[in-house]
Amino acid sequence: LHLYWSILLAGAVREGLNLLWWFLAHWSKWHSHDDATMKSLWHPTVFFTDAWFLSSCFTLSCRLLLVMPCVCDSFFSNPDPVMSEWEQGLLAINTFAQGFAVTYMLRLLHRFKRILAIFKTFFSRTILEMLLIAVMIFASFSFAFLTLIRREHAAWTVTYLYRGLMFGDGDGLDRMGLMLGGSDEDNKAALVLFMVCGTILFNVTILNLVIAIYGNEYEQVNAETELHFMKER
């Protein structure tokens, strides 16, 4: 276990050293040019404000925040080699982040350049605005059902509502008021009304609208994939 956390920490340190190496190379180019125009292109402020540097610093900070508590706990606080629930959760997040980082790195290979179009489409302003609208509408329905269903915990209500609205899950629809043959309390008119409106709004309107907007945005970005690929390279 200690060896595993050491490997994760070494990976984070390696990323930090890569950032330092790129900064030193940038600094060297800045000093080597005498032309004012070329010198301005390699100014340190350009490096520190670059999207790549900011994203790399963010991911490195997240990795250090995830790894360091577990490393300290494994080496100094917890001699038991069995991983705690907290360590397992952080390890799962770290593993997911590493897999996402590897997928994102593939965008720089010519064979996988379509990944770049997928990422740029997903993080486009239009898609993010649409997802924000979907989250706000879901939050509105969640508050409405939390007001109507007071005998259960909030997590129980939101979980079954998510299953019912997003996936049309049978148990989620039944628990949220659409179960036939239930008691009068389980099938209140307000629950049925909100659930019917919610399923129509999400399963028919919101989800299909997100798919349509994503497809439209992807076509536009995909037409300029070569330009985006050359810029990223």
Side-chain angles (χ1 to χ4, degrees):
L1 180 61
H2 291 171
L3 177 62
Y4 188 78
W5 287 124
S6 299
I7 295 174
L8 293 179
L9 180 60
V13 173
R14 178 186 59 83
E15 291 187 9
L17 292 177
N18 286 337
L19 285 176
L20 179 61
W21 176 262
W22 280 110
F23 172 73
L24 293 177
H26 198 97
W27 182 276
S28 176
K29 288 182 177 294
W30 179 54
H31 274 283
S32 62
H33 288 290
D34 296 327
D35 182 72
T37 303
M38 295 299 298
K39 203 173 185 65
S40 63
L41 292 176
W42 296 99
H43 197 273
T45 56
V46 177
F47 179 82
F48 288 118
T49 56
D50 186 72
W52 172 83
F53 174 77
L54 296 177
S55 60
S56 299
C57 287
F58 176 75
T59 55
L60 177 60
S61 301
C62 291
R63 290 193 62 183
L64 289 176
L65 289 175
L66 293 173
V67 173
M68 287 303 296
C70 293
V71 172
C72 295
D73 184 62
S74 298
F75 280 95
F76 305 108
S77 302
N78 185 18
D80 188 2
V82 179
M83 296 177 62
S84 64
E85 184 177 355
W86 170 253
E87 291 176 335
Q88 292 178 6
L90 292 180
L91 179 60
I93 296 175
N94 199 317
T95 304
F96 171 79
Q98 284 293 92
F100 184 84
V102 171
T103 305
Y104 188 69
M105 289 165 56
L106 290 176
R107 80 194 190 282
L108 299 178
L109 299 179
H110 189 271
R111 181 173 296 182
F112 300 100
K113 61 184 178 181
R114 300 299 175 187
I115 296 178
L116 183 61
I118 295 174
F119 275 105
K120 283 191 172 294
T121 303
F122 184 80
F123 292 104
S124 65
R125 182 176 180 179
T126 305
I127 296 298
L128 293 178
E129 289 177 352
M130 192 62 214
L131 293 177
L132 177 61
I133 292 174
V135 171
M136 293 176 64
I137 294 177
F138 178 78
S140 300
F141 275 99
S142 299
F143 287 124
F145 276 89
L146 289 173
T147 303
L148 295 172
I149 304 177
R150 300 185 179 183
R151 63 185 180 278
E152 301 291 349
H153 295 291
W156 183 94
T157 303
V158 174
T159 300
Y160 278 107
L161 181 63
Y162 172 77
R163 292 172 57 178
L165 292 182
M166 294 295 181
F167 306 105
D169 180 71
D171 290 337
L173 297 174
D174 291 342
R175 300 298 179 93
M176 292 296 106
L178 296 184
M179 181 175 61
L180 297 176
S183 61
D184 294 337
E185 186 180 0
D186 293 330
N187 291 275
K188 290 190 287 189
L191 278 176
V192 175
L193 178 62
F194 272 102
M195 201 60 195
V196 170
C197 294
T199 51
I200 293 175
L201 185 61
F202 269 90
N203 294 65
V204 179
T205 306
I206 298 294
L207 297 182
N208 288 301
L209 189 58
V210 170
I211 295 173
I213 293 177
Y214 184 89
N216 184 50
E217 288 290 318
Y218 179 78
E219 290 181 0
Q220 296 179 6
V221 175
N222 190 43
E224 302 176 349
T225 300
E226 291 293 339
L227 297 178
H228 291 298
F229 178 73
M230 294 175 61
K231 181 180 178 181
E232 291 290 328
R233 292 280 293 182

